[in-house]
Amino acid sequence: MNTTPPQRGRHELAEFLRARREALAPSDVGLPPRIGASRTPGLRREEVATLAGVSVDYLVRLEQARDVRPSAQVVQSLSNALKLSADQTGYMFTLAGHRVPERPATQQVPAGIGALIDDIGPLPAMVLNHRLDILAANETMAALLLDIDERPASERNVLRMCFLDSRFDGFYEARDDVVRGAVADLRAAWVNHSHDAELAALIDELERGSAEFSRYWQSREVSVRSRGDKPMNHPRVGPVTVTFDVLTPLGDPDLRLIVYRPADAQSRSALDELGRLRSHRKQRHLRTI
């Protein structure tokens, strides 16, 4: 296994470190302003080395693209010293030949994406995170998934629906394909979020609550499906088959925007009817308040 970054990566890492160092003023990192004129743009190497806890000689060798491979700990220390953003930190980790560190899990949907899934209606649309929690769903999707928006937030998870919610028994016509795909998708996400305590708790809950899930999880299938067909049997409107596409917002790769489209005329009519039923039910609810 080659543990040394390619030469091109070393040179880009050197240029990147210099550029970020020169872009900072002492006040940006809590240092007092310099007295008098300075020929050094931004921070001095000595200042960055002290902030990062490395030697000046080591930093010089990095900025000169010498045959040096900084450890992940050193890369993180330099990132902290240089006040790098998450994107910049990931860039530097990649240049240094390391896996990009985990980002904090997304708990809220950006306002623009929330508005987008509403605009996509009447096509069903929803937003998931890497744990397959349903963070947002438009009216049609909520109605299609048995009024999922009326369930407690902790239950709005694709895997809990499939394995722990009896209301979804018989819901998916090709159940085996759906649940195997969902578990394989979770396995693919797990490798990049192995320190996510909520994800670990979800997996433990599912393994204890469903022998079926445990069997699929232990098979270690890995697959991320970006499109496909999903036939369903809805208790209110009957058979519905949708074609789904999974999109990933550029600003948050842990989010998935999923859009369903009716696969045939019968499914289109069923979705239209589901929308009408949902609207009438909400109107009756408003009249009783």
Side-chain angles (χ1 to χ4, degrees):
M1 178 178 177
N2 181 12
T3 59
T4 302
Q7 184 176 5
R8 183 175 179 181
R10 289 201 305 271
H11 281 282
E12 176 58 23
L13 177 59
E15 295 291 341
F16 182 71
L17 284 171
R18 279 198 300 271
R20 301 321 309 157
R21 175 172 62 81
E22 293 173 358
L24 288 174
S27 58
D28 294 330
V29 295
L31 294 176
R34 299 193 188 106
I35 299 175
S38 172
R39 296 183 180 179
T40 304
L43 297 179
R44 297 188 178 103
R45 287 193 182 106
E46 293 83 355
E47 293 167 332
V48 173
T50 299
L51 291 168
V54 300
S55 70
V56 177
D57 178 67
Y58 189 82
L59 185 57
V60 168
R61 284 186 287 155
L62 284 176
E63 289 196 1
Q64 291 180 349
R66 307 238 193 120
D67 192 3
V68 177
R69 183 178 189 258
S71 67
Q73 182 178 357
V74 168
V75 174
Q76 187 62 62
S77 295
L78 287 168
S79 170
N80 295 340
L82 294 169
K83 303 295 185 183
L84 299 186
S85 67
D87 289 335
Q88 291 169 333
T89 297
Y91 184 67
M92 189 160 69
F93 265 80
T94 300
L95 290 175
H98 295 294
R99 182 169 147 183
V100 176
E102 293 181 28
R103 295 191 184 201
T106 299
Q107 300 292 347
Q108 294 184 333
V109 177
I113 294 178
L116 177 61
I117 64 170
D118 287 336
D119 291 342
I120 288 172
L123 293 180
M126 62 181 171
V127 179
L128 308 181
N129 62 12
H130 66 278
R131 292 189 292 264
L132 305 187
D133 295 322
I134 300 174
L135 301 181
N138 64 13
E139 288 287 333
T140 315
M141 181 64 85
L144 181 62
L145 297 182
L146 309 185
D147 302 315
I148 192 65
D149 58 331
E150 297 179 2
R151 309 288 287 184
S154 61
E155 297 179 18
R156 299 176 203 166
N157 176 277
V158 170
L159 293 157
R160 285 193 178 100
M161 287 163 41
C162 289
F163 293 104
L164 303 178
D165 190 338
S166 61
R167 299 186 312 150
F168 286 88
D169 292 349
F171 183 78
Y172 292 109
E173 186 174 313
R175 172 181 163 77
D176 187 68
D177 182 62
V178 171
V179 298
R180 285 172 69 95
V183 176
D185 191 302
L186 188 73
R187 175 67 77 173
W190 173 85
V191 74
N192 292 317
H193 299 278
S194 56
H195 298 295
D196 182 347
E198 289 189 48
L199 177 57
L202 172 65
I203 293 168
D204 181 63
E205 175 191 0
L206 290 165
E207 284 207 277
R208 286 186 289 103
S210 171
E212 184 185 23
F213 171 85
S214 183
R215 185 171 65 254
Y216 288 135
W217 181 251
Q218 295 304 327
S219 73
R220 287 175 166 76
E221 292 186 32
V222 177
S223 176
V224 179
R225 302 186 185 187
S226 60
R227 60 183 58 85
D229 294 329
K230 190 175 290 186
M232 294 170 269
N233 294 303
H234 198 279
R236 292 185 191 142
V237 296
V240 181
T241 299
V242 298
T243 297
F244 68 87
D245 289 282
V246 183
L247 310 174
T248 301
L250 186 60
D252 196 329
D254 283 336
L255 292 182
R256 298 106 177 268
L257 170 60
I258 301 177
V259 181
Y260 287 173
R261 290 176 290 111
D264 49 49
Q266 176 184 333
S267 298
R268 185 179 298 278
S269 297
L271 287 176
D272 289 343
E273 176 63 15
L274 195 59
R276 285 192 290 270
L277 290 173
R278 171 89 169 183
S279 177
H280 291 159
R281 189 170 63 84
K282 291 188 74 172
Q283 289 175 2
R284 288 198 303 272
H285 176 71
L286 287 173
R287 285 198 294 269
T288 60
I289 294 178

